[in-house]
């Protein structure tokens, strides 16, 4: 009675409840045993001592390492998501162009940059910009990260926006044409704003991906939050605690963004129904965004 | 160009072979662990549902770079989890296996979410019929629901595999000698051939990922249930 039935199993009777309790008990014992083993090993290796964790109670650790790193992460992620939105709008509209060469060019661009890893784009940009002195060396790593993230996320956003534009009812463009709008006006004033709104949850999910991927800057020495955590760890000799703290920061950030995406999705679903008093669908929203990174 | 080819040519296949091995072994592991997670998430035991939810939310929101570093620093250096026998190639094979473990732990969350969306596409009547002939939860899930769910998520699973293939480049941060590490080395040694090196590695990855996309697209058409 405490459990509601789903399609996969009936509301449990006395026997099923007993079986469930036993399964839960065994499962909890296994998990707890695993945790105890981990904690004991960490204890034996001296990872749980106060001195390993105390650096994080001091302001200096945060102002010297963690916060500058976090700033680096946010800077790279924010700039590349803005640039990716611009690039994505251009490519997405380009794929729907009436000129064949434009469609082909945008399509080629999107396919290539979705097919290759972001990290090799970042390596390429780093060494390319260095060899031809395109950016000052202090900005080299930052530019390379933003370059890689922009090309990849821009290509993905292009696909998201294209799907959004294609999902709009035909009447929208017919009405725009009938009042004498040109194609560019129609795109800019009628279709794109609606596509962006409809695809907002997927776009927010893409931001989570950009935020996580900014950690790739680690590989070229960009000071983002993972690199700065490792730097503080090599100073204090506390690698494991640092990784844990960094992980918590990133998980909280990304989880907040993911929840925002889910809330937006639910709000849009509700908005579409319009009928007063209609409840939001009880089941969790379907998987949003196609990215699996 | 010819000097570049002399240094890079022979190293190309071994590097991409490591990339392919990382991908295939991690994919198999992630499929198994991801299926277990998905099963937990729909199971009648609340503790298991809770565990699967917490695991998926934590792991998929962590940068993969951090997970890979965690496998190397946390699991190996601090917990002493060595995954390879002590011999001459210990560091190499241990790092490879730690990377595989990281990819499995991370990719399984996406497998689980994909499978769960596939479970939602199975018509209610299927599960109801299975229950009405007295099947237990493991039977309903294992014999009726999961096989159909798997068939309906072949195409999205292809996307997960492609993402995994590209993610294997991150193994380079703990020194696994796969394709992106070869690219980095070559870029350092041949600074005048940057575009050529990039093109070679990019084409290599495109061959792998586009093939995967084509195979999964074909498989989805062949086996997916039309509803």
């Amino acid at each position: 009675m405490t459990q509601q039935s789903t399609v996969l199993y009936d509301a449990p009777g006395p026997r099923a409840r007993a079986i469930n309790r036993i399964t839960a008990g065994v499962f909890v014992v296994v998990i707890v045993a695993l945790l105890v083993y981990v904690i004991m090993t960490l204890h034996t290796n001296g990872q749980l001592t106060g001195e390993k964790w105390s650096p994080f109670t001091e302001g200096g650790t945060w102002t010297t390492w963690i916060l500058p790193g976090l700033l680096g992460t946010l800077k790279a992620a924010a700039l590349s998501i803005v640039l990716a939105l611009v690039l994505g709008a251009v490519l997405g509209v380009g794929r729907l162009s009436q000129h064949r060469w434009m469609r082909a060019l945008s399509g080629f661009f999107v396919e290539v940059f979705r097919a290759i890893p972001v990290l090799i784009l970042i390596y390429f940009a780093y060494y390319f910009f260095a060899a031809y002195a395109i950016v000052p060396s202090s900005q080299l790593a930052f530019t390379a990260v933003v370059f890689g993230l922009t090309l990849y996320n821009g290509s993905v956003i292009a696909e998201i926006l294209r799907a959004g534009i294609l999902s709009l009812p035909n009447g929208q463009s017919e009405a725009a044409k009938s009042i004498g709008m040109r194609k560019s006006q129609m795109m800019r004033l009628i279709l794109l704003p609606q596509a962006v709104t409809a695809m907002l949850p997927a776009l927010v999910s893409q931001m989570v991906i950009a935020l996580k991927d900014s950690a790739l800057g680690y590989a070229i020495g960009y000071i983002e939050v993972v690199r700065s955590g490792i730097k503080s760890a090599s100073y204090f000799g506390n690698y494991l605690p640092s990784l844990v703290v960094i992980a918590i920061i990133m998980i909280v950030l990304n989880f907040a963004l993911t929840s925002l995406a889910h809330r937006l999705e639910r709000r849009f679903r509700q908005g579409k129904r319009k009928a007063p008093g209609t409840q939001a669908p009880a089941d969790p929203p379907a998987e949003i965004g196609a990215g699996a990174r | 160009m010819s000097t570049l080819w002399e240094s890079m040519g022979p190293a190309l296949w071994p590097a991409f072979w490591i990339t392919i091995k990382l991908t295939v072994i991690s994919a198999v592991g992630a499929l198994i662990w991801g299926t277990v997670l998905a099963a937990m998430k729909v199971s009648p035991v609340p503790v298991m549902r809770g565990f699967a939810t917490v695991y998926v939310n934590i792991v998929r929101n962590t940068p993969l770079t951090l997970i890979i570093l965690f496998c190397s620093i946390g699991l190996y250096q601090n917990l002493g989890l060595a995954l390879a026998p002590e011999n001459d190639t210990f560091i190499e094979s241990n790092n490879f296996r730690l990377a595989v473990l990281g990819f499995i732990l991370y990719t399984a969350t996406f497998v689980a979410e994909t499978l769960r969306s596939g479970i939602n596409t199975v018509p209610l009547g299927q599960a109801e019929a299975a229950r009405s002939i007295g099947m237990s939860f493991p039977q309903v899930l294992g014999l009726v629901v999961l096989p159909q769910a798997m068939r309906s998520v072949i195409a999205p699973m292809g996307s997960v595999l492609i993402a995994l293939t590209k993610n294997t480049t991150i193994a380079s941060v703990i020194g696994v000698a796969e394709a992106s590490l070869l690219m980095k080395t070559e870029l350092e040694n041949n600074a005048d051939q940057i575009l050529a090196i990039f093109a070679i590695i990019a084409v290599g990855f495109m061959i792998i990922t586009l093939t995967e996309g084509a195979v999964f697209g074909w498989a989805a058409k062949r086996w997916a249930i039309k509803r």
Side-chain angles (χ1 to χ4, degrees):
Chain A
M1 264 121 279
T2 47
Q3 288 176 359
Q4 60 182 61
S5 63
T6 75
V7 203
L8 290 169
Y9 47 88
D10 286 303
R15 191 160 161 269
R17 276 209 295 276
I19 293 174
N20 287 355
R21 267 199 299 273
I22 294 169
T23 321
V26 172
F27 185 72
V28 169
V29 166
V30 171
I31 296 289
V32 168
L34 208 65
L35 275 180
V36 167
Y37 168 75
V38 168
I39 290 170
M40 291 299 282
T41 320
L42 288 179
H43 181 72
T44 336
N45 294 345
Q47 292 295 327
L48 298 178
T49 54
E51 64 187 273
K52 295 269 184 200
W53 294 84
S54 60
F56 295 105
T57 61
E58 289 159 20
T61 314
W62 292 85
T63 49
T64 315
W65 286 288
I66 312 284
L67 291 180
L70 190 58
L71 187 69
T73 295
L74 295 177
K75 240 171 49 183
L79 182 59
S80 46
I81 204 79
V82 171
L83 294 178
L85 277 172
V86 176
L87 180 68
V90 171
L91 289 176
V93 172
R95 288 201 80 170
L96 296 169
S97 162
Q98 45 199 341
H99 307 291
R100 176 180 291 172
W101 65 269
M102 186 80 180
R103 284 201 304 273
L105 192 67
S106 315
F108 177 76
F109 203 87
V110 166
E111 290 305 328
V112 167
F113 289 108
R114 283 196 318 164
I116 58 182
V118 182
L119 189 59
I120 77 165
L121 282 174
I122 292 179
Y123 281 149
F124 164 73
Y126 185 76
Y127 287 92
F128 188 80
F129 293 161
Y132 297 93
I134 292 174
V135 290
S137 58
S138 60
Q139 295 297 312
L140 197 53
F142 174 70
T143 322
V145 173
V146 171
F147 177 87
L149 290 182
T150 301
L151 286 186
Y152 171 70
N153 291 300
S155 305
V156 178
I157 288 174
E159 288 297 274
I160 295 175
L161 287 181
R162 187 171 77 117
I165 292 172
L166 288 177
S167 76
L168 294 175
N170 241 341
Q172 295 289 334
S173 30
E174 280 168 15
K177 277 181 206 147
S178 74
I179 57 167
M181 280 190 173
R182 267 175 296 141
K183 187 131 196 289
S184 60
Q185 284 177 311
M186 179 177 89
M187 258 313 161
R188 204 178 40 181
L189 300 172
I190 309 286
L191 297 184
L192 257 188
Q194 293 190 65
V196 169
T197 324
M199 291 291 153
L200 208 51
L203 291 174
V204 176
S205 302
Q206 200 58 36
M207 285 182 200
V208 176
I209 292 165
L211 195 59
K212 275 198 299 180
D213 277 0
S214 63
L216 291 172
Y218 178 90
I220 52 166
Y222 177 57
I223 304 295
E224 40 70 53
V225 74
V226 178
R227 172 64 73 180
S228 67
I230 295 283
K231 281 183 113 173
S232 89
S234 64
Y235 182 78
F236 291 112
N238 61 347
Y239 284 96
L240 193 70
S242 298
L243 287 178
V244 171
V245 170
I246 299 301
I248 292 172
I249 294 174
M250 286 305 275
I251 290 165
V252 168
L253 263 181
N254 288 325
F255 194 70
L257 271 180
T258 312
S259 317
L260 175 69
H262 281 191
R263 263 221 306 286
L264 286 172
E265 170 127 338
R266 213 165 313 152
R267 158 127 20 127
F268 286 138
R269 278 202 201 172
Q270 247 172 337
K272 284 227 175 88
R273 305 220 167 157
K274 279 280 156 59
T278 325
Q279 284 278 303
D283 55 319
E287 203 39 38
I288 43 177
R293 293 188 53 94
Chain B
M1 189 73 203
S2 61
T3 50
L4 171 68
W5 194 245
E6 263 165 38
S7 78
M8 198 173 175
L12 213 50
W13 172 245
F16 270 107
W17 178 234
I18 301 260
T19 296
I20 293 169
K21 275 203 298 192
L22 280 173
T23 308
V24 172
I25 302 172
S26 308
V28 174
L31 187 62
I32 296 169
W33 179 222
T35 308
V36 172
L37 281 174
M40 279 187 191
K41 194 125 187 202
V42 296
S43 83
V45 184
V47 190
M48 287 184 164
R49 287 203 301 268
F51 171 82
T53 310
V54 170
Y55 177 90
V56 168
N57 277 330
I58 287 184
V59 174
R60 72 178 293 172
N61 281 318
T62 313
L64 183 54
T65 315
L66 192 62
I67 293 178
I68 296 298
L69 284 172
F70 194 82
C71 284
S72 173
I73 294 171
L75 292 182
Y76 169 57
Q77 289 169 28
N78 283 313
L79 284 170
L81 182 75
L83 295 177
E86 290 279 353
N87 54 29
D88 298 343
T89 58
F90 170 72
I91 295 177
E92 198 182 318
S93 46
N94 194 41
N95 278 343
F96 178 87
R97 290 176 196 191
L98 288 168
V100 166
L101 179 65
F103 293 137
I104 291 175
L105 295 178
Y106 182 77
T107 312
T109 62
F110 296 97
V111 172
E113 293 289 289
T114 308
L115 260 183
R116 212 164 56 92
S117 69
I119 289 175
N120 289 339
T121 67
V122 178
L124 303 187
Q126 295 279 334
E128 283 169 350
R131 269 165 49 204
S132 75
I133 58 169
M135 281 186 167
S136 64
F137 170 74
Q139 287 173 318
V140 175
L141 193 66
L143 298 175
V144 179
V145 175
L146 264 188
Q148 297 187 62
M150 294 259 190
R151 283 175 59 180
S152 65
V153 295
I154 293 174
M157 279 300 182
S159 310
V160 175
L161 181 67
I162 290 172
L164 169 65
T165 310
K166 296 189 291 176
N167 282 341
T168 58
T169 51
I170 298 175
S172 63
V173 302
I174 59 169
V176 177
E178 44 67 74
S180 77
L181 200 67
L182 171 70
M183 173 176 171
K184 198 181 176 190
T185 322
E186 292 297 325
L187 286 172
E188 272 159 11
N189 298 339
N190 303 292
D192 51 337
Q193 301 278 4
I194 292 171
L195 273 173
I197 296 168
F198 172 67
I200 293 169
I201 300 290
V203 167
F205 272 104
M206 284 176 72
I207 291 173
I208 299 178
T209 53
L210 295 180
T211 310
E212 284 168 353
V215 168
F216 272 78
W218 173 83
K221 220 174 268 169
R222 176 91 170 67
W223 282 299
I225 305 165
K226 310 282 183 302
R227 291 208 170 92

